[in-house]
Amino acid sequence: MQDKNWKDKKWYEKNECASSFWLKVTVVLVGCFYHPFLRPILKLCIAFVTVVYFIFSPNERRNIARFYKNLETFQKNKNPSESPKPSKKSNILKQIAQMSQKLTKTCHKNYQVYSNFYEFGSAICDKIAAWLGKINHKDIEVHNMEAIKNELLTSKESKKGQILVVSHFGNIEVCRALRNSIGEIPLVILMYEKIAQDFIALLKGLSKHKESNTAQDSITNAGIMLVDDLDMDSLFRLKDLLENGVNIGIMGDRVAISHSSNGKNAKFDFLGKSAYFPQGAFLLAGVLNAKISMLWCEKIKGKYTIELEQISQAPVVFGRESTKEVQIKELMQKYVDSLQKRVIANPKSWFNFYDFWGNQT
């Protein structure tokens, strides 16, 4: 049973939906059934588990339904259609037609919401498959391979890593499959320690490393840096990573933790509604004098598409304090615009199951 205050909680106050037990079960299923000929069995398992989560997660259903409502309204406002002409049908036929339309609309909306649950379950399996080495370059398509090679793979040699803004849209872990074709991208993902313990432990196990208690071991073993607050010690570690050619991935679609000293958020128009986005990645780029780009990995027609999109052509340098906020917002606007464009084209890959517009701060 869900906590009665669950819907009032911020994203970082919620526990993971999947326990370590179910994640371990998923590892077994992926290990057994990820082969192309056995994939239908895995899909049936995903569908069954998804139905269970769908039924017993009313708040998440509401939040995804609101996402689709905002998306629909935004698209209607951008492309207004003509009002339907009055029908000449009898009152009884009108009522039957209206009831049929209402039922069809309700079924369609529920199917849309369920699709996001299903795609999220599928993404977890793909994430694990990527860690197990079961996804290779044949399963992915890279839009700008040369840019990725020049910007990310050579960072070790140039000793110049950069900030990569990533999202809970698509499946960034699948980028690890690139190591089979062009080499491993030196990448560390910042992860909020409190809510990801089960999954972090699982990833460490998949990496065949022993459990460790330090953030540095997390970086070495699983490509993850655990953070609670971005204090001075964390900033020095991030600076050291960048200077050693490691790229740092930071989620750009979850508001900063309110008690953090760097917990700044900025409001932007997103799908026609005001939403807060964190300034953290963009502030860090300026503080650490690093370039900043977006790394996308989304599933399109059953195949993962990876794309690197630059936000700044050169390392970010803040001007005077009076212009700093404007600089940050200009950089953030590029990210928000790109995220919105991709979400409109591929809404099933939206994996923010909390109230993105109404419960962020």
Side-chain angles (χ1 to χ4, degrees):
M1 187 174 178
Q2 286 190 336
D3 186 341
K4 64 180 179 179
N5 296 319
W6 174 266
K7 65 180 179 181
D8 298 321
K9 291 182 178 180
K10 302 174 182 67
W11 70 264
Y12 51 82
E13 294 174 330
K14 296 184 179 184
N15 295 322
E16 294 174 300
C17 289
S19 67
S20 58
F21 169 75
W22 284 112
L23 287 172
K24 288 173 183 175
V25 170
T26 306
V27 172
V28 174
L29 291 174
V30 171
C32 294
F33 301 118
Y34 205 81
H35 189 278
F37 294 111
L38 300 175
R39 199 77 56 86
I41 299 174
L42 180 61
K43 288 183 177 180
L44 281 173
C45 294
I46 295 171
F48 172 75
V49 174
T50 301
V51 167
V52 173
Y53 274 103
F54 181 80
I55 292 171
F56 293 101
S57 303
N59 293 310
E60 285 71 17
R61 289 202 311 271
R62 268 194 301 271
N63 293 335
I64 295 298
R66 186 184 180 191
F67 158 72
Y68 274 107
K69 184 179 179 181
N70 289 346
L71 176 61
E72 182 183 9
T73 303
F74 178 75
Q75 290 179 307
K76 280 183 179 178
N77 291 339
K78 284 196 71 176
N79 303 294
S81 57
E82 294 183 5
S83 301
K85 294 180 180 180
S87 173
K88 295 182 180 179
K89 295 178 181 178
S90 67
N91 288 335
I92 295 177
L93 290 176
K94 277 184 183 179
Q95 289 177 357
I96 294 173
Q98 287 172 354
M99 289 175 62
S100 177
Q101 287 175 356
K102 188 175 181 180
L103 180 61
T104 301
K105 193 173 182 180
T106 300
C107 291
H108 176 65
K109 285 183 176 179
N110 284 328
Y111 175 74
Q112 281 183 319
V113 174
Y114 172 80
S115 295
N116 284 63
F117 277 74
Y118 178 84
E119 289 298 325
F120 182 65
S122 181
I124 290 176
C125 291
D126 291 339
K127 192 188 299 279
I128 291 170
W131 277 89
L132 291 172
K134 289 181 173 288
I135 294 180
N136 56 47
H137 65 281
K138 294 179 182 178
D139 302 310
I140 58 179
E141 182 179 325
V142 182
H143 270 189
N144 47 359
M145 181 71 82
E146 286 305 311
I148 288 177
K149 286 181 179 178
N150 295 334
E151 292 288 329
L152 303 183
L153 287 178
T154 61
S155 60
K156 279 282 189 183
E157 299 167 12
S158 64
K159 301 291 184 183
K160 291 181 180 179
Q162 61 178 287
I163 302 295
L164 297 176
V165 187
V166 295
S167 308
H168 294 85
F169 170 79
N171 198 346
I172 199 65
E173 289 295 333
V174 173
C175 287
R176 297 183 183 278
L178 285 174
R179 64 177 176 262
N180 298 325
S181 56
I182 64 173
E184 188 150 10
I185 295 172
L187 174 64
V188 165
I189 302 288
L190 292 195
M191 188 174 286
Y192 183 44
E193 185 172 7
K194 181 181 176 182
I195 65 164
Q197 288 301 316
D198 287 335
F199 201 70
I200 290 166
L202 176 66
L203 293 182
K204 289 177 184 176
L206 291 174
S207 297
K208 298 179 181 179
H209 287 278
K210 292 182 179 180
E211 183 73 22
S212 60
N213 298 316
T214 68
Q216 187 58 47
D217 285 340
S218 298
I219 293 170
T220 303
N221 296 348
I224 292 169
M225 179 174 174
L226 304 179
V227 294
D228 188 8
D229 270 329
L230 280 177
D231 53 18
M232 288 305 296
D233 180 57
S234 298
L235 288 175
F236 280 125
R237 282 188 285 135
L238 292 173
K239 181 177 175 62
D240 183 61
L241 286 169
L242 290 171
E243 291 177 349
N244 281 284
V246 178
N247 303 293
I248 300 171
I250 303 176
M251 293 294 171
D253 57 348
R254 295 280 173 94
V255 292
I257 302 168
S258 59
H259 60 76
S260 169
S261 58
N262 294 304
K264 292 187 176 181
N265 306 299
K267 188 181 287 187
F268 290 87
D269 185 81
F270 183 70
L271 295 182
K273 302 281 186 180
S274 292
Y276 283 98
F277 288 84
Q279 294 182 335
F282 306 89
L283 280 168
L284 279 175
V287 170
L288 301 176
N289 194 26
K291 289 176 67 174
I292 183 166
S293 300
M294 298 170 271
L295 185 61
W296 304 101
C297 183
E298 54 183 302
K299 204 170 193 177
I300 301 173
K301 295 181 179 178
K303 195 169 188 177
Y304 278 102
T305 300
I306 297 172
E307 183 176 357
L308 180 71
E309 190 177 353
Q310 286 190 330
I311 295 177
S312 67
Q313 298 287 335
V316 177
V317 178
F318 290 141
R320 292 175 298 177
E321 193 65 30
S322 58
T323 62
K324 178 180 170 182
E325 199 71 24
V326 175
Q327 281 183 272
I328 292 172
K329 285 202 169 185
E330 286 177 351
L331 295 171
M332 292 181 71
Q333 189 67 61
K334 293 181 181 179
Y335 166 72
V336 174
D337 289 345
S338 184
L339 178 63
Q340 179 173 272
K341 178 187 72 176
R342 293 169 187 278
V343 165
I344 290 170
N346 192 10
K348 291 180 183 179
S349 291
W350 176 258
F351 298 144
N352 281 307
F353 288 88
Y354 69 103
D355 189 353
F356 192 80
W357 287 269
N359 184 20
Q360 293 207 61
T361 57

